[in-house]
Amino acid sequence: MGVKGLQYFMERCCPEACVTVSLREMARQHVAKGTATSDTTSPTLLVDSMACLSHWYSCRDWVCGGQWREYMALLESWVEAFTSAGIRLVFFFDGVVEEKKRQVWVKRRRRVNGEIAKVFRHIKAHGQQPGRELYCLPPGLATFTRFALRSLGQEVLCSVQEADYEIASYGRRHGSMGILGQDSDFIIYDSVPYLSVEKLRLDSLTTVLYDRERLCRAVGLSVTQLPLLACLLGNDVVSEERMQHVRNNAMEMYRQSCPPPRAGAHQGQKVLAVAQLVSSVWGREEDEAGLIPPSLGLSATERELLQRGVRSYLLPGQEPPQCGDVSADSPDSACVRQGYLSPEMLKACIERHVAAEDFMVYNVVCGGVVECSNSLEDEEDTELLPQALVFKACRQHIYSLLLHRHDGSSDVEAPAVREWFVYPGNPLKEPEIVRPLPLSLSGVQPSLELLWLGSGPEVSALRLACFLSVFDCQDFSELFGAVDDCLLAALCLVTHIVFQVPDLSLEDVDAYLSQAVCLRLKRPQELQHIKLPYLCSRAVQLGSLYVRGLSHLLGANCASSCPLPSSALMPWQSFDGRLFHSKYLLAHTGADQMVLLDGDSSCLSLFLRLREKLVESCRRRGRALQSRPRPSTSELRLQTTAGPRGGSAHAGRPASDRGNWREREEATGEHQHGGGWRERGETRRGPSGYEKREKWEQRRGRGGGRGRGGGGGGGEQPPVFHPHPQSFYQDGGFQNRSRPPRPPRGRQHHGSRRSYQLSPRWSQPPAPGP
């Protein structure tokens, strides 16, 4: 992101180019000058939303899956600070990853994978969230923030090519007041002023303006020479390594001509040296087509790369259009899908995408590629499948809806989609090729034109049927209108997870459903004050899995032409990280259902209704959903450090299960591109999918009893920790348990359970079957 070292140089070596400004005063002057060319008279500030996410999400908790209602309140306050000052906001989001920047994207994803591994190691070692040095944004934050801002009445735009370029182009075209972001590329674009979100003080609406004119005076360049400076320093198009030899030559020349006192720090020297080189070679000799001086002595390949990098900064009107240089990610590439969608439908896809009204549709139809960034997934947890595999069948159904041909060419196979999904074991060397999978509908699969443009009750029913079929939940149609849309969506999501994840237990389902039901009655302040005695790494991953599933619900809903309102699929309607974590701990420590539902009889009744529908669906599919309470690492540590218990403290998991996905796959020779879990059919549907899973479980050594007891040796069972369920809650949160835990209660001791009975549980997991 941005030009290597340039912002550091401006702040440390060229402070006169970093000007503290009042946004209120800037807005007043902007109106007085009458420089805006847009339809509105309000001063317009363009927001690089991707750079703002970490500033917007300032919630204390981030590891449990997201504090979404608290986040919504913070987002609303942020927007209000600007609108109350008379400043209009236009939010931009990245809509594509351009292929020329794919390797940069992959490199960053791999780096974040390493950080996530450290996060899980910290949770297992300490039972709590790590510090800000390992901070990761909650999954799906960018996706759901688009819809959050739209719900707040804000204008949101999604890019069809490089977002920075579109922001700079929009600002120049409309005479906007400025760009708020944190990317030094905005210094290079000859566009409107660049303002720092990192330096923003919301209470006073002041920040730092990075003045490109003052920078140019300091380094002896003109604004038109900045793109070449940026490419020689290194950016997302021209890597820092490719121009290292040019910088080395520039540094040698600079040190010969400048005395040491003026040279300053190394980073300052580098920028000044490259600027001096650009100034010395820039003249009438430059190539008018590419603005690359021949005297730089570059190879043909390097010259072509540098030329592409320089042109990436030239906005419309700053150079003639380049013939035959259309980006593969631009709307023009939609022509490759002409055989599957009409021009009218392609236009609709692009318009909805740009207006941030859909998710996934444009990328599939117009680009044929879908990507998903890092999720909080524990590479050492060999029980839970990565989210990319859990929801693969959903995506295949969505691809079928979007790409299925209806011109009588039934023998023509729908085009495959290239997937770049980050998960443990995927080296990201190349995309995975994923084929569409037809939906299981009673009739012929409808065309996208009918779903999007049709009308009448029959079409409405067809849209709902398609949406439910994506998740194999057609039998839930009777709940449509009978329960809140957000709960119907949550039920579909949890049911699909149950179908795809063999190790999901009844306790996990209870945690998912109870928090979705209880969330409706919670205020953001209550959710913030939920106290968690410890964190469980497995619950962290299950929370992330749920939120990623919501984005698949959103994609299926958009492809089906929104049988459910998009607002019902937002995480703040059915998920809160701390609330889910608290329900998970309660469910796995034997809490009564009434306690699980906060003592609210209406919530309990709704919970039981949803639970019964899920269990009934599992029964019909042959999915045996079992009760399998499991202690967390922190629980085991509490017991094993309290005194002799016939065993030693350990990581809470048999040693045989501590290997990561990649090691297990390599050991069995199954890890190949496009193979592994995919060859074993984990994401297939129906009974045949479960047969595949049985074989898969045998290969994973289920005889060792992973998740069902059975240690690494000696047949020793880990102790199960059963605190009294009432000890958890105080004012909607957990108490700090200062007393030792009570011993497990037998099945005959009902206590406060009244007429509500827990499903049969065991104090220790059963021995593995034969």
Side-chain angles (χ1 to χ4, degrees), residues 27-340:
R28 187 191 65 77
Q29 293 178 5
H30 192 77
V31 172
K33 291 179 181 178
T35 54
T37 60
S38 59
D39 296 335
T40 178
T41 57
S42 301
T44 301
L45 185 63
L46 311 183
V47 182
D48 180 8
S49 301
M50 304 303 290
C52 296
L53 290 175
S54 59
H55 300 278
W56 291 335
Y57 191 89
S58 57
C59 309
R60 179 186 64 182
D61 183 281
W62 49 268
V63 80
C64 292
Q67 302 305 110
W68 293 95
R69 291 201 170 180
E70 181 184 354
Y71 177 61
M72 278 293 291
L74 291 170
L75 206 57
E76 186 173 7
S77 298
W78 196 92
V79 169
E80 175 61 24
F82 289 90
T83 54
S84 63
I87 299 173
R88 170 178 171 254
L89 300 172
V90 178
F91 296 88
F92 286 80
F93 285 84
D94 285 328
V96 297
V97 176
E98 291 190 310
E99 288 306 313
K100 65 185 179 183
K101 296 190 176 183
R102 178 64 66 186
Q103 291 310 308
V104 175
W105 184 87
V106 167
K107 184 178 179 180
R108 289 174 183 148
R109 303 288 74 77
R110 288 173 177 164
R111 175 180 55 79
V112 175
N113 271 344
E115 295 171 357
I116 289 175
K118 294 177 183 178
V119 169
F120 278 100
R121 285 197 290 270
H122 182 95
I123 293 172
K124 292 173 185 176
H126 304 286
Q128 61 185 12
Q129 178 176 281
R132 296 287 293 187
E133 69 277 3
L134 292 177
Y135 173 75
C136 297
L137 291 175
L141 191 70
T143 297
F144 296 116
T145 300
R146 304 178 202 173
F147 291 87
L149 291 168
R150 281 176 53 83
S151 72
L152 295 175
Q154 299 303 297
E155 183 176 354
V156 182
L157 299 176
C158 206
S159 72
V160 295
Q161 56 188 111
E162 173 62 37
D164 294 351
Y165 179 86
E166 292 196 10
I167 295 170
S169 298
Y170 185 103
R172 181 180 176 88
R173 185 169 66 253
H174 294 279
S176 302
M177 165 184 154
I179 296 169
L180 183 66
Q182 203 63 38
D183 190 329
S184 52
D185 275 334
F186 292 124
I187 300 171
I188 307 302
Y189 288 113
D190 186 7
S191 183
V192 296
Y194 161 45
L195 304 156
S196 169
V197 68
E198 191 174 87
K199 309 291 186 183
L200 174 67
R201 291 194 56 179
L202 202 60
D203 54 350
S204 60
L205 280 186
T206 59
T207 188
V208 168
L209 184 153
Y210 294 100
D211 193 317
R212 66 178 63 87
E213 298 287 348
R214 295 188 183 188
L215 170 67
C216 288
R217 287 197 293 270
V219 299
L221 295 177
S222 65
V223 172
T224 58
Q225 294 171 321
L226 289 179
L228 181 56
L229 173 72
C231 293
L232 292 176
L233 289 173
N235 55 22
D236 284 352
V237 177
V238 184
S239 69
E240 192 175 12
E241 295 76 17
R242 291 298 298 270
M243 293 296 144
Q244 183 66 52
H245 64 290
V246 176
R247 289 195 302 276
N248 289 342
N249 293 336
M251 285 289 289
E252 184 177 349
M253 294 171 53
Y254 177 77
R255 286 170 178 161
Q256 292 175 357
S257 60
C258 297
R262 183 184 171 190
H266 175 76
Q267 190 63 41
Q269 290 182 21
K270 183 175 72 171
V271 175
L272 290 172
V274 175
Q276 179 179 280
L277 174 65
V278 171
S279 178
S280 66
V281 301
W282 192 280
R284 295 183 178 180
E285 63 175 60
E286 69 264 16
D287 182 350
E288 294 182 0
L291 300 178
I292 308 301
S295 57
L296 283 175
L298 302 175
S299 67
T301 302
E302 291 171 335
R303 182 181 176 83
E304 181 182 353
L305 175 64
L306 202 59
Q307 182 170 287
R308 188 164 71 246
V310 168
R311 284 178 176 171
S312 70
Y313 288 111
L314 302 180
L315 303 176
Q318 294 178 341
E319 74 161 356
Q322 299 297 314
C323 299
D325 191 28
V326 179
S327 168
D329 300 294
S330 70
D332 294 338
S333 66
C335 61
V336 301
R337 307 288 173 182
Q338 288 282 5
Y340 298 90

Side-chain angles (χ1 to χ4, degrees), residues 323-490:
C323 299
D325 191 28
V326 179
S327 168
D329 300 294
S330 70
D332 294 338
S333 66
C335 61
V336 301
R337 307 288 173 182
Q338 288 282 5
Y340 298 90
L341 290 182
S342 66
E344 181 183 14
M345 289 300 299
L346 286 172
K347 181 181 178 182
C349 287
I350 296 171
E351 289 177 349
R352 292 189 185 190
H353 171 82
V354 171
E357 294 177 355
D358 71 14
F359 173 70
M360 194 186 294
V361 173
Y362 171 84
N363 303 81
V364 173
V365 171
C366 296
V369 60
V370 176
E371 53 268 318
C372 181
S373 188
N374 308 77
S375 300
L376 281 173
E377 296 179 323
D378 184 5
E379 66 178 14
E380 295 181 353
D381 190 324
T382 56
E383 291 184 349
L384 295 177
L385 285 171
Q387 62 89 15
L389 303 185
V390 172
F391 299 113
K392 181 177 178 181
C394 297
R395 295 194 301 277
Q396 289 179 287
H397 288 320
I398 295 172
Y399 302 159
S400 179
L401 272 175
L402 296 174
L403 301 175
H404 185 65
R405 244 180 132 154
H406 298 275
D407 59 356
S409 305
S410 57
D411 57 331
V412 178
E413 187 177 19
V417 176
R418 292 169 290 135
E419 289 190 346
W420 291 93
F421 273 65
V422 183
Y423 61 87
N426 184 7
L428 293 174
K429 292 181 179 178
E430 56 185 359
E432 297 182 58
I433 307 303
V434 178
R435 296 286 176 184
L437 184 64
L439 279 68
S440 297
L441 294 171
S442 56
V444 178
Q445 181 171 313
S447 67
L448 196 61
E449 283 85 350
L450 177 61
L451 291 174
W452 282 30
L453 305 178
S455 59
E458 298 84 2
V459 176
S460 297
L462 197 56
R463 290 171 181 146
L464 179 63
C466 288
F467 171 80
L468 296 175
S469 295
V470 168
F471 303 92
D472 291 324
C473 291
Q474 299 90 319
D475 46 344
F476 293 165
S477 59
E478 63 189 58
L479 293 177
F480 181 67
V483 299
D484 289 349
D485 291 334
C486 62
L487 292 180
L488 173 59

Side-chain angles (χ1 to χ4, degrees), residues 447-749:
S447 67
L448 196 61
E449 283 85 350
L450 177 61
L451 291 174
W452 282 30
L453 305 178
S455 59
E458 298 84 2
V459 176
S460 297
L462 197 56
R463 290 171 181 146
L464 179 63
C466 288
F467 171 80
L468 296 175
S469 295
V470 168
F471 303 92
D472 291 324
C473 291
Q474 299 90 319
D475 46 344
F476 293 165
S477 59
E478 63 189 58
L479 293 177
F480 181 67
V483 299
D484 289 349
D485 291 334
C486 62
L487 292 180
L488 173 59
L491 180 61
C492 291
L493 176 54
V494 176
T495 302
H496 179 81
I497 295 175
V498 170
F499 289 161
Q500 299 296 327
V501 182
D503 288 292
L504 208 73
S505 68
L506 198 57
E507 287 76 19
D508 301 327
V509 169
D510 288 351
Y512 275 142
L513 294 182
S514 62
Q515 69 93 33
V517 169
C518 292
L519 180 61
R520 303 169 306 136
L521 306 179
K522 300 289 185 183
R523 300 188 305 275
Q525 294 78 8
E526 288 182 78
L527 298 169
Q528 293 174 45
H529 294 142
I530 293 176
K531 296 180 176 63
L532 301 174
Y534 51 82
L535 295 185
C536 171
S537 62
R538 186 172 182 274
V540 167
Q541 184 162 339
L542 286 177
S544 178
L545 179 65
Y546 185 94
V547 177
R548 284 300 188 195
L550 286 173
S551 67
H552 285 77
L553 284 173
L554 185 58
N557 196 55
C558 292
S560 305
S561 195
C562 299
L564 301 182
S566 296
S567 59
L569 310 178
M570 298 298 110
W572 47 89
Q573 296 290 353
S574 67
F575 183 83
D576 177 86
R578 293 186 71 83
L579 181 61
F580 169 72
H581 217 97
S582 69
K583 300 301 183 185
Y584 178 92
L585 297 178
L586 282 172
H588 278 277
T589 48
D592 184 280
Q593 287 181 349
M594 196 63 172
V595 173
L596 199 61
L597 275 300
D598 297 344
D600 189 301
S601 57
S602 63
C603 285
L604 178 63
S605 176
L606 183 54
F607 164 79
L608 291 175
R609 183 180 184 185
L610 298 177
R611 189 178 191 258
E612 178 55 34
K613 290 294 294 183
L614 186 150
V615 172
E616 178 185 340
S617 182
C618 289
R619 190 182 302 118
R620 282 200 294 267
R621 308 289 178 87
R623 168 67 159 97
L625 186 59
Q626 297 179 348
S627 173
R628 195 182 303 144
R630 63 179 73 207
S632 72
T633 301
S634 299
E635 292 173 332
L636 290 172
R637 186 177 295 106
L638 286 173
Q639 288 214 10
T640 54
T641 57
R645 301 284 294 181
S648 60
H650 54 80
R653 191 180 300 282
S656 61
D657 294 343
R658 295 178 193 160
N660 59 34
W661 290 98
R662 190 189 305 253
E663 290 170 350
R664 191 175 73 256
E665 294 290 335
E666 290 175 349
T668 59
E670 293 174 344
H671 181 72
Q672 299 176 9
H673 179 70
W677 309 295
R678 292 168 287 284
E679 290 177 349
R680 296 197 296 271
E682 264 81 84
T683 55
R684 288 188 59 185
R685 304 159 32 247
S688 60
Y690 292 111
E691 292 169 4
K692 290 278 188 178
R693 289 185 184 281
E694 290 299 323
K695 296 179 182 179
W696 173 62
E697 290 174 5
Q698 292 172 11
R699 284 198 292 269
R700 290 170 61 201
R702 286 300 292 263
R706 181 161 49 247
R708 300 172 183 262
E716 197 169 50
Q717 304 286 339
V720 178
F721 183 49
H722 286 282
H724 191 287
Q726 297 289 358
S727 69
F728 278 77
Y729 272 94
Q730 180 180 28
D731 297 329
F734 282 104
Q735 291 184 359
N736 182 12
R737 294 173 293 162
S738 58
R739 297 180 298 172
R742 298 184 182 183
R745 296 187 295 179
R747 296 183 183 178
Q748 302 302 318
H749 184 84

